[in-house]
Structure formats: structure tokens, C-alpha cells
Amino acid sequence: MDAVVRGLVVYFFLLLVFRLSGNRTLSQATAFDLILLLIISETVQQAMVGTDNSITQGLLLVLTLVTTDILLSVLKEHSQVLDRWIDGAPLVVIDNGKLLHDRMAKLRVDEGDILAAARSLQGLERLDQIKYAVVERSGEITIVPRK
Amino acid sequence: MSRIPQVGDLQIHQNLEHSKREAKVERVAWAFFLLILAAAVAGILGPGPLSHAVAGTRDSALWIEYNRFEHSRRPGELVVHIGPSAGGKVGLSLSRDYFERVQIANIEPAPERTVLTPEAYIYEFARGDPARPAAVILHFEARRAGFTRVRMRLDSGAQVGFTQFFFP
């Protein structure tokens, strides 16, 4: 029982913390973000396993995490509200060439982030070449260029 | 087939009301995260300045340094200060209910002998210089989370009690 409870507590705690920290937090992993992820996984591993290093504990934890993930994905399929709260919703930050600064500020996205996405995804050079920019549910920025 | 909303020429499941609500919830959560961290630094969520406490009166026959808040499955310690006494031996009794939650890992210095009674464990120590105060350190680890009441008593009659909370 201990493994299942620990797995569930850690799963939902991480879901809550990463969801509330914003979509953009780990969307574009810099070298430091990668280190941060490694540290978090190591810290969380200690909390989940505790003093029980048995194979049973490890396998039960994996099963708990995977099953919880499957159950949540099934629930999200049936509820759009839950889906939005867990995975977020995409948000347009450039609408028909117009920068929407209030939305950008809320999402912690600046013009530099949009230009970087435009360069890497579409090979664009300037903001005026962008028709739409969207911050997706994953936190990534996608670009639709002007024709 | 579900209808996908349109923003300009873009078919997208954008929901401005949800995004606004989400941004508000995020800001409140960030403030809450800061509060939790401040509480942790202050010692409300474990050992720290606000957690450290003294049970009994300093420089009396028996007083104890402890943390009000501890973590279960983490080593902790109680520093038991024993004032000057008449005899060369001293008996320190610790209520048995404490051991339902806590496991004593080590006692420094090691007691000469341990006596079990229905209500308490009594640790007996030999004193090198009974006229001077001494300290005994109890290293422990809590097995379970929750509140626990600690009662300690010397064979001379001096006693103190305090409560600790163990976070999971």
C-alpha cells in the first residue's frame, strides 16, 4: 500500500506544481532546465522509494504512475474542463500580425521568444512576416507565416 | 464531429475565459509557493529557528532542547540537560507511548543500563562529577507522521513534557 500511496502523492504533487508554474516553465529546456529536471527526479525518487529498495516496491511505483496517467487521460477524454485544467489551452499571442502584449505578459513570452520560434520553425526574419503565433498546451510557440 | 472554434483564419481550441482564470490561479499559487518556502525557512515545516524550543527552565534540574516540528524517517535529536545532583547516578525515564511513534537510534553517552516498566523506559547513567551539569543526546527517528507527546522524568522527581509534530 505504501508504494501506491507514495506514487499517487508524488504524481499529483508534481502535476500540481508543474501545472501551476505555467506552461512555459520547462517547455524549452535549456541546459539549466535539464539539470533542474535531473535534480527534481532524484529528489522525488527518494520520496517515492523511501527506505524500501525492493524490486516489488519499484515495480509497484512504476505501475502506480503509469496507471494513474492512463486513468487521467481517459478522464480528460470525457471532460473538456478537466482536460483544460490539466493540459491547459492554446493561446494566440499574434493575431493576424498584431502582437497581443497582455497575453504575452501572462504567459511570460516576449518578442524574442516568438522570433526565435519563427526562425527555427519557418526560417522567418521579422515579426511582420508572422500572421499567427500560438503558445500551445505544451508551452511551445508555433508560427503561421503570412503568405 | 466536434466543432473547432475559429480565431481569424485559425482553427484553434482557444478559450480566453479559461486562460484568464488559469493565469489568476497561477499567480495565487506562486504566492502560496513563496509562503510555503518562507514557512520552511522559518522552521514551521521542519527543524529551523521557529521549530527549536526548550522544554523546562534553562539551568534547572531537567531541561530539554528539541524541535517542535520534525520529519518522519529523518534522524533527529533531543538534548537532555541534567542539572547538578546529589548522587553519582541518575535515572532518566521516557514515557513508553513515545516509542509507539519514535525509535531511539542511539544515546550519547550510552546508559549503564535500561529498565523497562509498564509506563516508561528508564535509562540509568553514571555521573563523573555530580556537582556539574551534564547533557545526554538522544538520536531518534520517527516511524510515523503525526503528533506525539513526550514526558521525561528524573529519579529525583524533576519532569518536563512537550509535544512534537512529525511531518510525513
Side-chain angles (χ1 to χ4, degrees), chain B residues 23 28 41 46 52 73 79 96 107 132 137 142 148 159 168:
Chain B
V28 173
V41 171
H52 186 258
R73 298 168 199 265
V79 184
R96 267 190 84 163
I107 300 176
R132 296 179 64 185
I137 301 172
T148 189
Q159 59 180 331

Side-chain angles (χ1 to χ4, degrees), chain A residues 79-99:
Chain A
S79 164
Q80 280 196 4
V81 176
L82 188 71
D83 185 38
R84 273 200 300 270
W85 277 110
I86 290 178
D87 286 341
L91 195 61
V92 175
V93 287
I94 294 185
D95 187 359
N96 211 3
K98 190 184 168 208
L99 283 153

Side-chain angles (χ1 to χ4, degrees), chain B residues 63-139:
Chain B
W63 58 284
I64 296 153
E65 287 180 78
Y66 70 102
N67 281 308
R68 291 185 186 96
F69 307 107
E70 290 276 6
H71 295 174
S72 58
R73 298 168 199 265
R74 171 194 178 274
E77 61 179 42
L78 299 173
V79 184
V80 183
H81 297 271
I82 301 166
S85 62
K89 288 202 172 179
V90 65
L92 174 72
S93 82
L94 191 51
S95 51
R96 267 190 84 163
D97 45 358
Y98 186 57
F99 296 93
E100 284 172 15
R101 198 175 299 277
V102 172
Q103 181 181 358
I104 300 287
N106 184 30
I107 300 176
E108 286 178 71
E112 268 195 338
R113 83 186 177 122
T114 306
V115 180
L116 297 175
T117 71
E119 300 83 30
Y121 285 11
I122 303 169
Y123 300 108
E124 289 186 354
F125 302 91
R127 302 196 67 165
D129 184 357
R132 296 179 64 185
V136 174
I137 301 172
L138 275 75
H139 299 273

